[in-house]
Amino acid sequence: MSKLPEMFGSNVFNDRVMQDKLPKETYNALKKTIEQGQPLDISVANTVANAMREWAVEKGCTHYTHWFQPMTGITAGKHDSFISPVGDGRVIMEFSGKELIKGEPDASSFPSGGIRATFEARGYTTWDPTSPAFIMDDSLYIPTAFCSYTGEVLDKKTPLLRSMERLNTEAVKILHLLGKKNVNRVLTTVGPEQEYFLIDKELYDRREDLKLTGRTLFGAKAIKGQELDDHYFGAIKTRVSEYMKDLDNELWKLGICSKTKHNEVAPSQHELAPIFSTSNIATDHNELTMEVMKKTAEKHNLVCLLHEKPFAGVNGSGKHNNWSMSTDTGENLLEPGKQPENNLQFQLFLAAIVKAVHEYQDLLRITVATAGNDHRLGANEAPPAIISMYIGDDLGELVQSIIDGTEYVSRGKTDMKTGVNVLVDFKKDTSDRNRTSPFAFTGNKFEFRALGSSLNIACPNYMLNTMIAEELSQFYDELSGAQDMEAAVKALVRRVLTEHRNIIFNGDNYTEEWVAEAERRGLYNLKSLPEAYRHFINKKNVDLFVKNKICTEQELRARCEIELETYSKQINIEALTMIDMAKRNITPAVSAYVKELTNLALAKKALSGRIPTIVEENTIISLSAKLMDFAEKTAKLEMAVSEAAKYSSNNLTCARYYHDVVLSIMQELREVGDSMESETAAKYWPYPTYTEMLFSV
Ligand code: ADP
Ligand code: MG
């Protein structure tokens, strides 16, 4: 399609539009803010607001919204129209610099983790000029940060922006120390690969559990699952392909560089990957991508499921957070180059990452913990709950040689002979892929793989940036007085790699041996959210965020409370949904089937007494026993849910109760329900089956 370059970014107030619509001085002033982080003048804001409004109204917009990322897990914004009455019954379209810069949503209905009382309702949203405004559904969307009246951070964007600044400062200092004086800025970059399921809307609408909780709470396994490995990278079905084309178009209009699409491992599972951008824009774009995915699905009579584990028995969905750092001079700081053994700069940054991942493995685990992702981590599909890092054989040997003080012999890229004349021979990558590692080096970036599919990537990224900034600042303090910089860097790299080698693991992360080995190495194995969050407010972690001015101890505690509370609430909703499904649909359906069988058996007996009724009777006996069991477990679950109130005064205790007690009863109830499904006539079963949902698109 030759029109693609014109269509791309057509709904974005991007650099080209700004050059076109803004007076030169305004444009230059705004650029300084965007690129160098300089404060913005209100007169500049007024001019920008005017230009934005004009551009948006030309494109059919009637409203604008301050778009922000509160602690709810989704994005938010209220929509105000541009209209302003002029007195004679008519209106004009207006939008001031003040309205662009500052919004005042009522903050009391967003989670604050107890930071404010509800009567302190005021909150502010502030324009983030580093992420471009865009148009969706006739509204001009302005990306913003969100804080309370008293200045506490209530969102995910603010810590991310702060962490990018911190990392920039520390990385530039290190580069200057190493003699790279021409570097003025270091940006963190992210490319998130997004997994999702697509199912038929009509089937979805009949599943109470999917609608209320995003995942199936009952459902016997489909006859066919993913065992044939015939879905991954397979031919994309027409209906899915139509959806993907439409989705790409919508994303391209929003300036999102959607690049790769393919089928994933599980039936009905797919993936979308964009070209990477700065952490901030990548985060906004990923949030937008998830919204557009869901909206576009509706147009195709499909539903896009972003839950981490919508279906038991087949893979869940994750998100791979590809992460790196690059300079304003165009250098990727994680590019090892042809001779990594002589690339001290690379070694120093690698050492900082190794140290950070080792010291803050708990934070990395915590930041990906959600009720949904708990179903993946540790199961045999996603990375395990143990955080370790993979650096590949080549770098592994380099690290070993640095530790041992021996010479490193690079294997270099070898030729790949295809053995077929018409195929071109090519250079093989020096390291193979390791798909089991939670944190893997992939040539010139790290891929953090433990994220759940629905997660806002702001959180893992601000944690990553902050912990690495912290290590770099420690390195700077150690190196800055050195007489012989080369010797000092070498000594530091060697010491750090030796001290933190335990976090490096290049083997198969799915084996039992690794679990035992990781324990010997003293690595954490935090299996669930409540277990992980016990470590959040450790002194080491509080110090990290407070020292680097990412958030205060109070804000951190608030975040912890919000996540724990959300976890309990989600499981509570799941339990209530199960009880409802069990009592009002599954039990009556199975009883009705038993009644039909009973009537049939009685009719046969009445007829002559000689027609066998053994098949009916066996099923009646089996299902009746299961119905009893099912009713008991439903009652047990109801009791467990009502008892949760006892723990409500402490969010951690409450979350642990939901995990240890409620979730395990839910599992027991599900097993009985699923086994009844396998025995009940299809026409009686009240819900679409796994086979229907996974194989009908
Ligand atoms: P795969 O993980 O399947 O090998 P790719 O190699 O295509 O896939 O990369 C996956 C993602 O990594 C893409 O979104 C890509 O844009 C992103 N990526 C590539 N280079 C960088 C980088 N320097 N920083 C951040 N992300 C990057
Ligand atoms: Mg990947």
Side-chain angles (χ1 to χ4, degrees), residues 189-193 232 260 262 271 273-277 320 322-325 332 433 442 444-445 447:
T189 52
V190 171
E193 301 164 59
Y232 189 62
T260 310
H262 62 79
E271 182 183 293
I275 295 175
F276 69 96
S277 48
H320 291 175
N322 295 274
W323 180 94
S324 189
M325 299 167 276
N332 178 350
R433 285 156 181 258
T442 48
N444 58 7
K445 61 187 190 293
E447 185 169 347

Side-chain angles (χ1 to χ4, degrees), residues 126-142:
T126 331
W127 177 35
D128 166 19
T130 61
S131 180
F134 57 91
I135 293 172
M136 209 163 58
D137 293 337
D138 298 337
S139 275
L140 171 67
Y141 278 68
I142 298 151

